[in-house]
Amino acid sequence: MATSIPTPPGTAHTSQAPQSPASGAAPAAEAPKRRLAAVVGILAVVLIGLNLRAGITSAAALFHELQVVLGYDALVASVLPSIPLLCFAFAGLATSWLIRRIGVEKAILVALALLAGGLLVRGIPATGALLGGTVLAMSGLAVCNVAMPSFIREHYAAKTSMMTGLYTFTMSAGATFAAAVSVPLALQLGSPSLGLAAWGILGVAALLGFVPMVLHTHRRSRRTGQAPVPMWPLLRTRLGLLITAIFTFQAFLAYAVMSWFAYILTAEGLSAAESGLQFGLMQLVSVAAGMILLAIGSRPGMLRPALYTASGATLAAVPAMLWLPISFAAVPAVLFGFGLGIFPLILVIISRSGRTTAETTALSTVAQSLGYFIAALGPFGMGLLHSATGGWSLPLSLLFVVALALMVSCHLLTSKRTATRTGPRTAA
């Protein structure tokens, strides 16, 4: 049975209590400040979204050139695409603790500082700097990944779908732009390392753009009285387990494809620039697909068809990649791109699940940390399978199996047996 995106109870806290005449003047005077804070928050979400995948796709488009210039071996080439996922897993685990200590806004500010610094470090033309800068930048991304659903719920509870759509749209737009221009930018700068470092400017812009939001919330901060919610017991709930499974499978597919798609096309005969364009096409399709799927899945009863469409596109992309000539590379690029559009739906499900912001943060943390940890096997495993077999048939077949598991998990999530909020698992 198709269901809509689960919406937890208790979101009525966004409405305001009636004001007495004596107290009405103060809220009226505060209205412009609230509107300004909302605008600043939206701009901050846009800048953060532009950064959250650009640092990954810019490197993926240059992996072949980086290996040629820096001379690292096959083991480093296999480990490098997995670093973002490992950082998302381990650094993401600390996000709940960090948010409890300093608040969600300051946690995001710290994350953006790590991101900008790491991206700039990658400009040093050395394998150690590439690896170290990637770890630093991806640790910053990890905190943002976990914190953003809670930030959106905290500040835009009544507009979760709209803000998540904006956030993921700018995320995909940044990824697409980075994938398309990374190779030409590196050629213009004369170095793939400098081509990577250039994206640190975007990270600095996000850091500076988020400072006003932090200052505003710091002046108005108050304790919510919410007790911390432990993460791991959520895996004993049907909803928590299924959301974690879906997040894991989509992350496995997304990062395996983003890490190796351009590399495979280059190895099969396309030039680096042509492969980068196809990679950019995939990301561009994912932007449109994410918005389309989010619009469909947000309608009552349409979440299951939206999830089926996304996972089915990935299932179709694998045989297209295996059997079509390299001249038809745009076909798997479009199909994989449409499959990547599932990500906004998952973020909205997370943002709307849980009875409180603290529970949403806990669910986001456990789903993303565990999911990214397991998903790290995707790019790393594909690299090892390719090295062992000398071809791409077995690695791509692995993606087909994972895409099938994703579709099954989506079916279970949208069944009547799955509760719409977290809590103790009931008997089947």
Side-chain angles (χ1 to χ4, degrees), residues 29 38 56 137 162 227 234 236 289 322 332 342 345 351 353 379 397 412:
I56 298 172
M162 184 191 76
L234 294 176
R236 295 197 294 269
L322 281 170
I342 197 173
L345 283 176
S351 294
S353 299
S397 298
L412 295 174

Side-chain angles (χ1 to χ4, degrees), residues 51-52 55 110-120 136-138 140-141 200 203 206:
N51 275 274
L52 290 193
V110 170
L112 292 174
L114 291 175
L115 169 63
L119 293 177
L120 294 173
L136 193 63
M138 297 305 110
L141 287 187

